[in-house]
Amino acid sequence: MFQGILIFAIGGILLIGAFAVLVGRRRQYEESGSPEDRLTDEEFRRIEFGDEDI
């Protein structure tokens, strides 16, 4: 019985650790986006609102 609880607890800790690593990597990936992925104001307005006057 005690071994089952211990195995379950260790598994839970490993899952929490893996989740924390994945969240950290995703946050780092999103923060380090390439400049090509960023839109200027004019590009955003053209795409979002269909402004072709710019």
Side-chain angles (χ1 to χ4, degrees):
M1 170 121 179
F2 179 71
Q3 287 177 338
I5 294 172
L6 183 63
I7 291 171
F8 186 73
I10 291 172
I13 290 171
L14 289 175
L15 284 175
I16 290 171
F19 179 75
V21 168
L22 288 175
V23 168
R25 286 185 182 175
R26 180 174 179 178
R27 188 172 295 142
Q28 182 183 19
Y29 172 75
E30 289 175 353
E31 289 175 355
S32 66
S34 65
E36 298 91 34
D37 293 339
R38 297 199 177 111
L39 295 174
T40 63
D41 289 339
E42 293 85 16
E43 291 171 331
F44 175 78
R45 288 192 59 81
R46 183 172 43 84
I47 293 169
E48 189 69 22
F49 302 110
D51 292 348
E52 296 293 336
D53 298 335
I54 298 175

